[in-house]
Amino acid sequence: MKIQTNYKTLNTNCAQSFTGQKIDAKDSKKVLTAVADKTLASDCFNALKNVDYESFVRKFEAKYIAKSKANFEYLATNNLRSLLKFTIADFKYKRFVSKKENQENCAKLYGYKKAKFKKPFIHFAEFLRMHPINIACYFTGKKVLNKKCIIDGKKISQRDISKIIAEETNPEIRKKAYDSKYKLCDNLKDDIIDIVKKRNAYAQAFNYSSYFDLILKRRYNTDLKAFNKNLESTYLLFKPELEKVHEENEEKLKKVFQTETLEYYHYNLNNSCKEYKVLDNAIEKIGVLPLAKKIFSKMGFDIDKLINEGKLIIHNDKKEKRSFHMSIMPGKISGICVSLKNDFFNLAVLCHELGHAMYNLGTSQTLPINMRTSPSQVMNEGIAMMMEDVTLNKDIWDGMVPTDILEKIKKNRRKGQLIRIARNFILTEFEQEMYANPNQDLAKLWQEKYKKFTGWNYKPSNEWSTADLLISAPAYTHNYIKAQMIAFQLHKHLKTKLGNLTENKETAKYLSENIFSKGASLNETELLKKITRKENLEKDFLKDINFSEV
């Protein structure tokens, strides 16, 4: 950086006054005393402060990126070496931002009036408190993701068990699949309960009733009472439609299995399996990543360019264990972990995570760093879910998949989204009550929640123990409930404004200018109202629930 004045040139290494004296760029007092001209002295002083700030930003970003990349690697690979690497990088970053000489610049970067960063020894004390929990999460997470079910002496992956449950119509095979899954869950539950108790002990040291309560307060700035009131009111709006959908689903299942009484192993059959296999065959010929790139390109996003510039990192999870997005540097670098197996399920997941990445990379660099994010997790998930929805647009499958098959999938998808919302109600309420009392009969609690939100004749089980989010993202699933409505509302609004999103390259520009670039400068309600002119997402979603197209 060079700043030219009529007396001198100021650069990042030194300030040279007209007297010929060299002055260190950090020593602003010498600049003020050495430069006789007061106006020039002021210019020098401000320029040197800018030089110092820009140097700080470069160092800050280097440490932030090192910490985030290490965390991304740990979450993607789930090994001890990457956990150690992340722990060291994270501590270095926290030590840097907590140094006294960096406080003013940190506050400026984050948009704070004054510094809010803890001292290094406080970070170390926090690390010691969380260390037993992190280690327990590491080993239990590996166990949950890697443990296999056993049917007739043969080991079967959890993914293949889920596939049997979704597709198989032979009740005997389904019962074996369910029973093997339940047996696996019984072996996992104690490890997760141990984590819950450790987390609760951590939270209670800070006077929270439970870890769930701590997360609500620290991350979402709400308490249990307000949270439950909002959750219950949302559920009551959905209840009539949920009951109707579940009644229709039960009638279909009774016909398929030719029975008047449904058992636990009859549920979760996917009525569109045959149609999805047609999509899978089409994806096999193209490849899931090339097809996702094509979808985003049709909206105006250049995925290849982002990858080549190092702004987008894609980790291929070949074992199909988990998927997630991480903001490695807000507004600059994103990382996604996904399976690139060629089927529609993984296409939808890939587009979901790419939606998160586009949101992060589209935020304005002029915002303070803590504002370079979405206004809420709900809004971020809403964008990601909308990107899932566009995967069924007709133009994407033109010449590959018959229109009538796409229409049948779309017709069932909206009602499937209601069932998805019901499951998020189940997991949210179950998780909260589990943290409130981890010693209760959790198998029975799981059965009660399924009965309340779906009416299903589920037997008591510890099926909840395979829900990875209970370990990796506590108190998070409630975000998906409202996010589903936001996805629907945004997609509907954007179609009226832009037409079919995957047939208009201006889609990316519109999303970037009107949503992504705003970051968290507007709250969720303000942003949605500004874009859609709608406030009551729940009623609008329910009103159009039977539409076959968004």
Side-chain angles (χ1 to χ4, degrees):
M1 172 188 173
K2 291 187 177 181
I3 300 171
Q4 185 73 40
T5 71
N6 58 341
Y7 289 98
K8 57 173 278 295
T9 298
L10 178 72
N11 60 45
T12 55
N13 300 317
C14 69
Q16 186 164 347
S17 73
F18 57 88
T19 61
Q21 182 183 358
K22 284 190 176 182
I23 302 164
D24 192 297
K26 292 182 180 179
D27 199 340
S28 55
K29 287 183 179 179
K30 285 186 180 179
V31 174
L32 291 173
T33 55
V35 181
D37 187 306
K38 290 185 178 180
T39 303
L40 177 58
S42 178
D43 288 344
C44 288
F45 177 70
N46 291 329
L48 287 168
K49 282 192 73 174
N50 288 335
V51 168
D52 183 53
Y53 177 69
E54 290 180 12
S55 173
F56 163 79
V57 170
R58 287 194 295 273
K59 291 175 183 176
F60 171 88
E61 289 190 352
K63 292 187 182 298
Y64 191 103
I65 290 169
K67 177 258 299 187
S68 297
K69 280 188 174 180
N71 192 20
F72 178 76
E73 181 187 333
Y74 163 58
L75 292 175
T77 60
N78 204 34
N79 62 58
L80 276 173
R81 184 180 177 183
S82 58
L83 174 58
L84 179 61
K85 185 178 175 182
F86 164 60
T87 302
I88 294 169
D90 186 49
F91 186 75
K92 284 181 178 179
Y93 161 75
K94 287 173 177 173
R95 184 177 62 182
F96 176 78
V97 298
S98 58
K99 284 183 178 179
K100 189 176 180 180
E101 62 267 28
N102 291 332
Q103 292 295 287
E104 184 180 342
N105 284 332
C106 276
K108 183 178 177 180
L109 184 62
Y110 276 86
Y112 299 147
K113 290 183 179 179
K114 62 179 182 178
K116 296 184 178 182
F117 301 93
K118 298 174 184 175
K119 294 180 180 179
F121 76 87
I122 297 177
H123 286 301
F124 188 66
E126 184 97 346
F127 166 76
L128 290 178
R129 284 197 189 101
M130 288 298 294
H131 184 65
I133 301 171
N134 291 335
I135 293 297
C137 287
Y138 166 75
F139 284 108
T140 303
K142 282 187 80 74
K143 197 173 179 181
V144 169
L145 292 172
N146 295 324
K147 275 280 186 179
K148 293 188 176 182
C149 301
I150 298 175
I151 297 180
D152 296 332
K154 184 180 178 182
K155 289 185 177 181
I156 302 177
S157 71
Q158 293 180 51
R159 179 73 187 276
D160 287 337
I161 288 291
S162 296
K163 193 174 181 181
I164 292 171
I165 290 169
E167 300 176 5
E168 183 59 60
T169 55
N170 183 321
E172 291 183 7
I173 296 175
R174 292 183 66 83
K175 186 176 185 300
K176 285 184 178 180
Y178 262 103
D179 289 346
S180 67
K181 183 179 181 181
Y182 287 164
K183 189 173 181 180
L184 169 69
C185 293
D186 289 340
N187 292 329
L188 295 173
K189 69 178 179 68
D190 289 339
D191 294 305
I192 297 177
I193 291 170
D194 181 58
I195 290 174
V196 170
K197 289 179 177 178
K198 282 184 169 70
R199 283 175 170 168
N200 275 348
Y202 171 82
Q204 286 157 7
F206 295 96
N207 297 318
Y208 292 97
S209 61
S210 69
Y211 193 74
F212 195 95
D213 182 25
L214 177 147
I215 295 291
L216 288 183
K217 199 70 177 175
R218 289 186 177 180
R219 194 170 296 165
Y220 303 105
N221 196 29
T222 189
D223 57 29
L224 282 169
K225 187 177 180 181
F227 175 80
N228 287 328
K229 184 179 179 181
N230 183 53
L231 190 70
E232 187 64 20
S233 63
T234 304
Y235 166 62
L236 291 175
L237 279 172
F238 277 91
K239 189 177 179 182
E241 285 295 334
L242 286 173
E243 289 175 346
K244 187 165 70 173
V245 167
H246 291 312
E247 283 174 12
E248 291 175 6
N249 187 46
E250 291 221 340
E251 289 304 313
K252 286 180 182 178
L253 290 175
K254 286 177 181 178
K255 287 180 182 179
V256 170
F257 294 110
Q258 298 180 344
T259 181
E260 285 301 312
T261 305
L262 292 174
E263 299 293 342
Y264 64 93
Y265 50 82
H266 288 133
Y267 294 104
N268 287 312
L269 181 71
N270 189 335
N271 293 316
S272 300
C273 277
K274 291 180 181 178
E275 290 73 28
Y276 278 118
K277 283 182 179 179
V278 177
L279 297 184
D280 292 347
N281 292 335
I283 294 169
E284 190 68 45
K285 295 175 183 177
I286 303 171
V288 69
L289 184 57
L291 185 53
K293 288 178 181 178
K294 173 187 171 183
I295 292 170
F296 277 78
S297 174
K298 287 166 74 67
M299 292 187 285
F301 297 102
D302 192 337
I303 301 299
D304 278 323
K305 183 181 178 183
L306 293 171
I307 293 171
N308 292 336
E309 290 177 350
K311 293 179 179 179
L312 178 62
I313 300 167
I314 299 178
H315 174 86
N316 182 10
D317 180 21
K318 295 179 181 179
K319 294 183 179 180
E320 299 180 82
K321 299 297 183 183
R322 57 171 43 156
S323 59
F324 64 89
H325 162 263
M326 178 177 288
S327 170
I328 291 174
M329 186 68 223
K332 289 189 175 182
I333 307 173
S334 273
I336 63 171
C337 174
V338 288
S339 167
L340 297 180
K341 184 179 178 182
N342 296 319
D343 58 37
F344 182 78
F345 173 82
N346 285 309
L347 174 67
V349 172
L350 175 56
C351 288
H352 179 107
E353 302 304 342
L354 284 172
H356 284 309
M358 296 308 103
Y359 204 138
N360 176 54
L361 296 175
T363 54
S364 172
Q365 290 296 298
T366 61
L367 293 169
I369 194 167
N370 62 314
M371 301 290 278
R372 295 177 208 165
T373 183
S374 57
S376 66
Q377 292 289 354
V378 169
M379 190 70 196
N380 209 314
E381 290 294 348
I383 290 292
M385 286 180 170
M386 184 179 74
M387 295 306 182
E388 283 185 57
D389 285 341
V390 303
T391 57
L392 288 172
N393 285 358
K394 293 176 185 177
D395 59 289
I396 294 166
W397 304 97
D398 190 32
M400 296 187 290
V401 175
T403 303
D404 61 320
I405 288 178
L406 283 176
E407 289 303 316
K408 186 173 180 181
I409 292 173
K410 281 186 174 184
K411 190 175 181 180
N412 288 327
R413 186 173 176 82
R414 181 66 63 228
K415 292 178 181 178
Q417 286 172 336
L418 261 181
I419 294 173
R420 187 177 180 179
I421 285 172
R423 286 174 179 161
N424 287 320
F425 273 120
I426 291 167
L427 198 51
T428 299
E429 206 166 274
F430 170 85
E431 184 182 18
Q432 181 189 162
E433 292 185 28
M434 174 180 68
Y435 273 100
N437 179 15
N439 294 317
Q440 64 182 299
D441 186 342
L442 295 174
K444 186 179 179 182
L445 180 65
W446 186 248
Q447 179 196 37
E448 290 171 356
K449 296 308 170 187
Y450 253 94
K451 188 71 176 175
K452 174 181 175 179
F453 292 108
T454 68
W456 289 7
N457 184 30
Y458 246 31
K459 75 173 188 178
S461 77
N462 291 302
E463 186 185 27
W464 54 269
S465 64
T466 54
D468 179 51
L469 287 176
L470 288 177
I471 299 172
S472 61
Y476 190 85
T477 52
H478 63 91
N479 291 306
Y480 295 121
I481 298 169
K482 193 173 181 181
Q484 191 70 73
M485 294 177 275
I486 287 176
F488 168 77
Q489 189 62 60
L490 277 176
H491 197 172
K492 185 181 175 185
H493 168 76
L494 292 173
K495 278 192 75 174
T496 62
K497 195 166 188 71
L498 301 169
N500 188 357
L501 303 191
T502 51
E503 292 182 291
N504 189 343
K505 286 184 177 287
E506 292 296 304
T507 298
K509 183 180 178 182
Y510 181 88
L511 288 172
S512 181
E513 290 180 355
N514 293 279
I515 300 177
F516 302 165
S517 64
K518 307 296 182 187
S521 61
L522 296 174
N523 66 39
E524 176 192 307
T525 304
E526 291 169 338
L527 187 58
L528 284 171
K529 191 176 179 182
K530 184 177 179 181
I531 298 167
T532 68
R533 309 296 177 190
K534 296 274 186 178
E535 290 190 65
N536 199 320
L537 296 174
E538 293 93 340
K539 288 183 178 179
D540 203 54
F541 178 80
L542 291 168
K543 179 182 175 183
D544 294 319
I545 196 67
N546 292 314
F547 282 18
S548 60
E549 289 189 65
V550 176

